[in-house]
Amino acid sequence: METPPSSPEALKKDRTLIVFVLAATVALALPRFAHTTPDSVYYTNLLAYFQGTLPRETLQTPFAFRWFVPALASLLPGVSPTTALGLCSLVATMGAGFFTLKLWGHLLQGRQQLVFAMTLLVCSFPTINYGSAALTDAAGFLVLAAASWFMVGGRFYAMGAVLIIGACVRESTLLMVPALWLYTGLLPRPRRYVAALMVTLATLLAALASRWYFADLPAYFWTPSWPRFLANLTRPVSWATVLLTLLPLLLLLCLPGKNNVPLPRPTRAYIIAMTLPCLALMAYAMSAAFMGGRFCWPLYLPLIPLVVWRRAGL
């Protein structure tokens, strides 16, 4: 018989699991702390701009639209730009672990499933490679995890507040808008449509406000193209990071066996609502940007619960 959620034993286990998630995240993310990619220079430039040491005309879009994390990092005194961004990413990865634990605790059945799910999340390539990088992907993952938690809990206005910030963190967080409408359609309640509309309008207005503020900079758009798609197909780094991110989970998902216990309806609704926009993001990145495992990281939110459910009956 499982311990009641409100019992002292359950609360102690919750604290133990939270400590494990945070400690393991730090331990796995630190070896590549503050490492950089070609994109990192755009974020360090933004940080310098907010510190008043770099002129505005040196900034580039669409990276300038992702101003929130560099602005926050610019407030950290006495550290280098990459260290400040790395610290923000590490804290964001830890925060994402906390919200994901809350989210999956709501969607999964039993503590064993939750521990398995959190182990898959923490002991993963994205945690190691992006968890403390001088980038904004970890902060974007935090936004998606927090917004998901508020969405499944029915706290749509808290979700809206998170997504307003998220619109200034990364444009990929906008995938929560179609996810919200899919989730609302799969679990229809009249008041949810009004809340979904309010969240959508607030999120899009925040995204447009960021673009308006930097409208004087030369415009750049990630335009899908066949040459970019072919370039990604022949780019070893793209395939390596995508495989390292997704292959372990896909292998677990495809192992022989069958779980005869049906997915609870809210869990099924969340998995469908999140998977479709995440796959669309991956397809867009494949044809318009430099594809990598970081574009697959958001898929962990619906994919890991599906893997855990698939393995739970074996």
PDB file of all heavy atoms in Angstrom, residues 156-177:
ATOM      1  N   PHE A 156      -4.179  28.767 -15.175  1.00  0.00           N
ATOM      2  CA  PHE A 156      -3.860  29.317 -16.482  1.00  0.00           C
ATOM      3  C   PHE A 156      -3.275  30.727 -16.403  1.00  0.00           C
ATOM      4  O   PHE A 156      -2.478  31.110 -17.261  1.00  0.00           O
ATOM      5  CB  PHE A 156      -5.098  29.298 -17.374  1.00  0.00           C
ATOM      6  CG  PHE A 156      -5.553  27.907 -17.711  1.00  0.00           C
ATOM      7  CD1 PHE A 156      -6.658  27.350 -17.096  1.00  0.00           C
ATOM      8  CD2 PHE A 156      -4.846  27.141 -18.623  1.00  0.00           C
ATOM      9  CE1 PHE A 156      -7.062  26.056 -17.400  1.00  0.00           C
ATOM     10  CE2 PHE A 156      -5.247  25.848 -18.939  1.00  0.00           C
ATOM     11  CZ  PHE A 156      -6.359  25.308 -18.322  1.00  0.00           C
ATOM     12  N   TYR A 157      -3.667  31.495 -15.401  1.00  0.00           N
ATOM     13  CA  TYR A 157      -3.126  32.848 -15.323  1.00  0.00           C
ATOM     14  C   TYR A 157      -1.680  32.826 -14.835  1.00  0.00           C
ATOM     15  O   TYR A 157      -0.861  33.656 -15.266  1.00  0.00           O
ATOM     16  CB  TYR A 157      -4.021  33.710 -14.432  1.00  0.00           C
ATOM     17  CG  TYR A 157      -5.406  33.865 -15.036  1.00  0.00           C
ATOM     18  CD1 TYR A 157      -6.527  33.276 -14.449  1.00  0.00           C
ATOM     19  CD2 TYR A 157      -5.572  34.556 -16.239  1.00  0.00           C
ATOM     20  CE1 TYR A 157      -7.784  33.390 -15.034  1.00  0.00           C
ATOM     21  CE2 TYR A 157      -6.820  34.683 -16.825  1.00  0.00           C
ATOM     22  CZ  TYR A 157      -7.924  34.092 -16.226  1.00  0.00           C
ATOM     23  OH  TYR A 157      -9.148  34.186 -16.814  1.00  0.00           O
ATOM     24  N   ALA A 158      -1.352  31.873 -13.958  1.00  0.00           N
ATOM     25  CA  ALA A 158       0.054  31.683 -13.591  1.00  0.00           C
ATOM     26  C   ALA A 158       0.841  31.209 -14.809  1.00  0.00           C
ATOM     27  O   ALA A 158       1.981  31.641 -15.043  1.00  0.00           O
ATOM     28  CB  ALA A 158       0.175  30.671 -12.453  1.00  0.00           C
ATOM     29  N   MET A 159       0.226  30.341 -15.602  1.00  0.00           N
ATOM     30  CA  MET A 159       0.862  29.900 -16.848  1.00  0.00           C
ATOM     31  C   MET A 159       1.099  31.086 -17.769  1.00  0.00           C
ATOM     32  O   MET A 159       2.170  31.213 -18.388  1.00  0.00           O
ATOM     33  CB  MET A 159      -0.038  28.869 -17.537  1.00  0.00           C
ATOM     34  CG  MET A 159       0.494  28.375 -18.867  1.00  0.00           C
ATOM     35  SD  MET A 159      -0.733  27.376 -19.755  1.00  0.00           S
ATOM     36  CE  MET A 159       0.199  26.938 -21.223  1.00  0.00           C
ATOM     37  N   GLY A 160       0.121  31.973 -17.854  1.00  0.00           N
ATOM     38  CA  GLY A 160       0.274  33.158 -18.698  1.00  0.00           C
ATOM     39  C   GLY A 160       1.424  34.039 -18.253  1.00  0.00           C
ATOM     40  O   GLY A 160       2.184  34.547 -19.081  1.00  0.00           O
ATOM     41  N   ALA A 161       1.578  34.204 -16.931  1.00  0.00           N
ATOM     42  CA  ALA A 161       2.682  35.018 -16.412  1.00  0.00           C
ATOM     43  C   ALA A 161       4.030  34.407 -16.785  1.00  0.00           C
ATOM     44  O   ALA A 161       4.970  35.116 -17.167  1.00  0.00           O
ATOM     45  CB  ALA A 161       2.555  35.151 -14.896  1.00  0.00           C
ATOM     46  N   VAL A 162       4.117  33.075 -16.687  1.00  0.00           N
ATOM     47  CA  VAL A 162       5.358  32.378 -17.059  1.00  0.00           C
ATOM     48  C   VAL A 162       5.642  32.553 -18.550  1.00  0.00           C
ATOM     49  O   VAL A 162       6.788  32.803 -18.958  1.00  0.00           O
ATOM     50  CB  VAL A 162       5.260  30.886 -16.697  1.00  0.00           C
ATOM     51  CG1 VAL A 162       6.421  30.099 -17.299  1.00  0.00           C
ATOM     52  CG2 VAL A 162       5.248  30.707 -15.184  1.00  0.00           C
ATOM     53  N   LEU A 163       4.614  32.449 -19.377  1.00  0.00           N
ATOM     54  CA  LEU A 163       4.818  32.543 -20.818  1.00  0.00           C
ATOM     55  C   LEU A 163       5.120  33.968 -21.275  1.00  0.00           C
ATOM     56  O   LEU A 163       5.778  34.160 -22.307  1.00  0.00           O
ATOM     57  CB  LEU A 163       3.594  31.994 -21.557  1.00  0.00           C
ATOM     58  CG  LEU A 163       3.407  30.477 -21.468  1.00  0.00           C
ATOM     59  CD1 LEU A 163       2.190  30.038 -22.268  1.00  0.00           C
ATOM     60  CD2 LEU A 163       4.651  29.735 -21.954  1.00  0.00           C
ATOM     61  N   ILE A 164       4.661  34.967 -20.539  1.00  0.00           N
ATOM     62  CA  ILE A 164       5.044  36.351 -20.857  1.00  0.00           C
ATOM     63  C   ILE A 164       6.557  36.503 -20.709  1.00  0.00           C
ATOM     64  O   ILE A 164       7.232  37.090 -21.562  1.00  0.00           O
ATOM     65  CB  ILE A 164       4.293  37.337 -19.950  1.00  0.00           C
ATOM     66  CG1 ILE A 164       2.823  37.411 -20.366  1.00  0.00           C
ATOM     67  CG2 ILE A 164       4.931  38.722 -20.009  1.00  0.00           C
ATOM     68  CD1 ILE A 164       1.957  38.211 -19.414  1.00  0.00           C
ATOM     69  N   ILE A 165       7.093  35.949 -19.623  1.00  0.00           N
ATOM     70  CA  ILE A 165       8.550  35.945 -19.455  1.00  0.00           C
ATOM     71  C   ILE A 165       9.198  35.072 -20.530  1.00  0.00           C
ATOM     72  O   ILE A 165      10.206  35.446 -21.135  1.00  0.00           O
ATOM     73  CB  ILE A 165       8.927  35.450 -18.046  1.00  0.00           C
ATOM     74  CG1 ILE A 165       8.396  36.402 -16.983  1.00  0.00           C
ATOM     75  CG2 ILE A 165      10.441  35.285 -17.917  1.00  0.00           C
ATOM     76  CD1 ILE A 165       8.567  35.908 -15.565  1.00  0.00           C
ATOM     77  N   GLY A 166       8.593  33.916 -20.780  1.00  0.00           N
ATOM     78  CA  GLY A 166       9.144  32.974 -21.761  1.00  0.00           C
ATOM     79  C   GLY A 166       9.267  33.561 -23.147  1.00  0.00           C
ATOM     80  O   GLY A 166      10.213  33.255 -23.882  1.00  0.00           O
ATOM     81  N   ALA A 167       8.336  34.447 -23.513  1.00  0.00           N
ATOM     82  CA  ALA A 167       8.392  35.084 -24.830  1.00  0.00           C
ATOM     83  C   ALA A 167       9.630  35.947 -24.979  1.00  0.00           C
ATOM     84  O   ALA A 167      10.068  36.230 -26.105  1.00  0.00           O
ATOM     85  CB  ALA A 167       7.136  35.915 -25.058  1.00  0.00           C
ATOM     86  N   CYS A 168      10.218  36.368 -23.852  1.00  0.00           N
ATOM     87  CA  CYS A 168      11.437  37.168 -23.865  1.00  0.00           C
ATOM     88  C   CYS A 168      12.679  36.319 -23.586  1.00  0.00           C
ATOM     89  O   CYS A 168      13.797  36.842 -23.548  1.00  0.00           O
ATOM     90  CB  CYS A 168      11.346  38.282 -22.824  1.00  0.00           C
ATOM     91  SG  CYS A 168       9.847  39.277 -22.950  1.00  0.00           S
ATOM     92  N   VAL A 169      12.472  35.025 -23.362  1.00  0.00           N
ATOM     93  CA  VAL A 169      13.583  34.094 -23.129  1.00  0.00           C
ATOM     94  C   VAL A 169      13.989  33.413 -24.428  1.00  0.00           C
ATOM     95  O   VAL A 169      15.148  33.479 -24.846  1.00  0.00           O
ATOM     96  CB  VAL A 169      13.197  33.039 -22.073  1.00  0.00           C
ATOM     97  CG1 VAL A 169      14.267  31.944 -21.972  1.00  0.00           C
ATOM     98  CG2 VAL A 169      13.011  33.691 -20.709  1.00  0.00           C
ATOM     99  N   ARG A 170      13.028  32.764 -25.051  1.00  0.00           N
ATOM    100  CA  ARG A 170      13.256  32.095 -26.336  1.00  0.00           C
ATOM    101  C   ARG A 170      11.939  32.004 -27.075  1.00  0.00           C
ATOM    102  O   ARG A 170      10.903  31.723 -26.465  1.00  0.00           O
ATOM    103  CB  ARG A 170      13.806  30.667 -26.157  1.00  0.00           C
ATOM    104  CG  ARG A 170      15.257  30.568 -25.761  1.00  0.00           C
ATOM    105  CD  ARG A 170      15.719  29.120 -25.765  1.00  0.00           C
ATOM    106  NE  ARG A 170      15.788  28.578 -27.109  1.00  0.00           N
ATOM    107  CZ  ARG A 170      16.815  28.769 -27.941  1.00  0.00           C
ATOM    108  NH1 ARG A 170      17.843  29.492 -27.572  1.00  0.00           N
ATOM    109  NH2 ARG A 170      16.808  28.236 -29.128  1.00  0.00           N
ATOM    110  N   GLU A 171      11.974  32.161 -28.385  1.00  0.00           N
ATOM    111  CA  GLU A 171      10.739  32.053 -29.151  1.00  0.00           C
ATOM    112  C   GLU A 171      10.200  30.628 -29.172  1.00  0.00           C
ATOM    113  O   GLU A 171       9.011  30.412 -29.426  1.00  0.00           O
ATOM    114  CB  GLU A 171      10.933  32.575 -30.579  1.00  0.00           C
ATOM    115  CG  GLU A 171      12.043  31.919 -31.366  1.00  0.00           C
ATOM    116  CD  GLU A 171      13.379  32.624 -31.216  1.00  0.00           C
ATOM    117  OE1 GLU A 171      13.657  33.162 -30.125  1.00  0.00           O
ATOM    118  OE2 GLU A 171      14.147  32.637 -32.183  1.00  0.00           O
ATOM    119  N   SER A 172      11.051  29.639 -28.871  1.00  0.00           N
ATOM    120  CA  SER A 172      10.588  28.252 -28.841  1.00  0.00           C
ATOM    121  C   SER A 172       9.572  28.010 -27.728  1.00  0.00           C
ATOM    122  O   SER A 172       8.802  27.054 -27.793  1.00  0.00           O
ATOM    123  CB  SER A 172      11.768  27.296 -28.677  1.00  0.00           C
ATOM    124  OG  SER A 172      12.479  27.554 -27.482  1.00  0.00           O
ATOM    125  N   THR A 173       9.549  28.885 -26.696  1.00  0.00           N
ATOM    126  CA  THR A 173       8.554  28.717 -25.638  1.00  0.00           C
ATOM    127  C   THR A 173       7.137  28.980 -26.142  1.00  0.00           C
ATOM    128  O   THR A 173       6.165  28.601 -25.483  1.00  0.00           O
ATOM    129  CB  THR A 173       8.848  29.640 -24.446  1.00  0.00           C
ATOM    130  OG1 THR A 173       8.791  31.007 -24.876  1.00  0.00           O
ATOM    131  CG2 THR A 173      10.228  29.356 -23.864  1.00  0.00           C
ATOM    132  N   LEU A 174       7.030  29.614 -27.316  1.00  0.00           N
ATOM    133  CA  LEU A 174       5.701  29.863 -27.889  1.00  0.00           C
ATOM    134  C   LEU A 174       4.992  28.576 -28.284  1.00  0.00           C
ATOM    135  O   LEU A 174       3.788  28.598 -28.551  1.00  0.00           O
ATOM    136  CB  LEU A 174       5.818  30.781 -29.105  1.00  0.00           C
ATOM    137  CG  LEU A 174       6.320  32.204 -28.836  1.00  0.00           C
ATOM    138  CD1 LEU A 174       6.453  32.979 -30.145  1.00  0.00           C
ATOM    139  CD2 LEU A 174       5.402  32.935 -27.876  1.00  0.00           C
ATOM    140  N   LEU A 175       5.713  27.442 -28.304  1.00  0.00           N
ATOM    141  CA  LEU A 175       5.047  26.178 -28.614  1.00  0.00           C
ATOM    142  C   LEU A 175       4.003  25.826 -27.552  1.00  0.00           C
ATOM    143  O   LEU A 175       3.120  24.987 -27.791  1.00  0.00           O
ATOM    144  CB  LEU A 175       6.059  25.044 -28.792  1.00  0.00           C
ATOM    145  CG  LEU A 175       6.856  24.517 -27.588  1.00  0.00           C
ATOM    146  CD1 LEU A 175       6.082  23.467 -26.791  1.00  0.00           C
ATOM    147  CD2 LEU A 175       8.162  23.883 -28.078  1.00  0.00           C
ATOM    148  N   MET A 176       4.090  26.469 -26.378  1.00  0.00           N
ATOM    149  CA  MET A 176       3.074  26.220 -25.354  1.00  0.00           C
ATOM    150  C   MET A 176       1.713  26.773 -25.747  1.00  0.00           C
ATOM    151  O   MET A 176       0.690  26.341 -25.201  1.00  0.00           O
ATOM    152  CB  MET A 176       3.502  26.844 -24.024  1.00  0.00           C
ATOM    153  CG  MET A 176       4.571  26.084 -23.264  1.00  0.00           C
ATOM    154  SD  MET A 176       4.195  24.343 -22.905  1.00  0.00           S
ATOM    155  CE  MET A 176       2.645  24.455 -22.029  1.00  0.00           C
ATOM    156  N   VAL A 177       1.657  27.714 -26.684  1.00  0.00           N
ATOM    157  CA  VAL A 177       0.366  28.264 -27.107  1.00  0.00           C
ATOM    158  C   VAL A 177      -0.460  27.197 -27.837  1.00  0.00           C
ATOM    159  O   VAL A 177      -1.599  26.918 -27.429  1.00  0.00           O
ATOM    160  CB  VAL A 177       0.553  29.532 -27.955  1.00  0.00           C
ATOM    161  CG1 VAL A 177      -0.780  29.963 -28.572  1.00  0.00           C
ATOM    162  CG2 VAL A 177       1.130  30.662 -27.105  1.00  0.00           C
TER     163      VAL A 177
END
